[in-house]
Amino acid sequence: MKNQPKAAVIFSGGQDSTTCLFLAIQEFGKENVEVITFQYGQRHAIELEKAAWIAKDLGVKQTLIDTSVIKSITTNALMDDTAEIQENGNTPNTFVDGRNALFLLYAAIYAKSQGIQTIFTGVCETDFSGYPDCRDVFVKSMNVTLNLAMDYNFNIRTPLMYLTKKETWKLADELGAFDYIREHTHTCYLGVEGGCHTCPSCVLREKGLNEYLAERACLEKDDV
């Protein structure tokens, strides 16, 4: 029997990566999907616990990769729990230089070793925090670079790239995962269980959620 195609999901345990995980499971089947989680010294380390719990609960293999060496060569508010999170200027101080490039590189190295070509990542350049490594042009260039570097045909998928947070919640609902993602995922930069409701990540998530709930309520009212 021919081997079934497999997929790997770069997985933080947050809303976006969990949505990508449900998409991957729908397309490839649970038995053909793995997740890759990165420990890079993030102050919101609770996301690692959430990622491990979700992977176990859904029955998918998880690989944890330690990239915390990055803490020794760059500084930012996402890895310094004493720093105040700020969004002043073009790039917020929560931006981790090289993070997504590093994630994609290590995910690709692992994926090739497992015979996996498709890699999902939940980056988005519509509703996002201004991170340059969440842009489509970066991901496409990285895809070409990895293919050339390893002489392997990777396919990096970014299904949320042009979705607003409201649309991402809608997609989760269409996948039958709305309540699951709302209840079990973590987004807060400060690592507060259930969210701090004030950091940029929480504000963006909750704004999108409220917009989608309002839209869904209107549609349900119209159907009555």
Side-chain angles (χ1 to χ4, degrees):
M1 182 178 176
K2 185 178 179 181
N3 290 334
Q4 294 293 313
K6 298 187 291 184
V9 180
I10 296 178
F11 187 63
S12 69
Q15 175 192 357
D16 293 341
S17 64
T18 305
T19 302
C20 287
L21 175 55
F22 274 94
L23 276 169
I25 289 173
Q26 181 187 72
E27 180 175 345
F28 289 83
K30 184 188 302 184
E31 67 280 4
N32 297 312
V33 173
E34 301 185 22
V35 297
I36 304 170
T37 302
F38 293 93
Q39 196 291 104
Y40 59 95
Q42 58 266 56
R43 66 194 288 176
H44 51 305
I46 185 176
E47 73 174 11
L48 298 173
E49 300 172 17
K50 296 291 185 180
W53 187 91
I54 292 170
K56 183 177 180 180
D57 186 62
L58 294 179
V60 297
K61 178 184 176 182
Q62 180 190 38
T63 298
L64 180 66
I65 300 177
D66 187 343
T67 57
S68 57
V69 65
I70 199 172
K71 290 190 70 173
S72 67
I73 55 175
T74 188
T75 58
N76 54 78
L78 211 60
M79 298 190 300
D80 180 357
D81 58 13
T82 66
E84 180 182 354
I85 292 176
Q86 300 175 344
E87 290 195 293
N88 300 330
N90 294 328
T91 305
N93 68 348
T94 51
F95 175 59
V96 182
D97 282 312
R99 180 180 63 170
N100 283 342
L102 195 65
F103 286 2
L104 287 168
L105 172 61
Y106 277 79
I109 294 170
Y110 174 78
K112 183 180 179 182
S113 75
Q114 302 300 306
I116 297 171
Q117 291 181 300
T118 301
I119 300 171
F120 285 82
T121 179
V123 297
C124 168
E125 68 172 45
T126 303
D127 273 352
F128 77 131
S129 299
Y131 297 167
D133 61 359
C134 288
R135 296 175 298 171
D136 185 60
V137 65
F138 161 72
V139 177
K140 281 186 167 58
S141 67
M142 194 69 180
N143 202 151
V144 172
T145 297
L146 292 171
N147 288 3
L148 292 171
M150 286 182 255
D151 193 23
Y152 194 74
N153 188 27
F154 294 107
N155 177 23
I156 301 176
R157 301 267 294 274
T158 55
L160 311 184
M161 180 59 73
Y162 297 113
L163 300 186
T164 64
K165 272 291 180 284
K166 181 185 79 170
E167 291 168 335
T168 301
W169 281 113
K170 181 180 179 180
L171 175 58
D173 208 0
E174 292 169 349
L175 290 167
F178 177 84
D179 291 332
Y180 190 95
I181 289 173
R182 185 177 182 181
E183 180 178 351
H184 296 302
T185 63
H186 177 85
T187 301
C188 179
Y189 282 158
L190 300 180
V192 177
E193 179 77 38
C196 70
H197 313 297
T198 59
C199 77
S201 189
C202 280
V203 169
L204 186 60
R205 172 182 171 131
E206 291 170 14
K207 176 177 177 289
L209 174 61
N210 291 332
E211 288 174 349
Y212 176 62
L213 288 175
E215 179 184 272
R216 191 171 72 171
C218 287
L219 292 173
E220 290 172 349
K221 183 178 179 181
D222 290 341
D223 288 339
V224 174

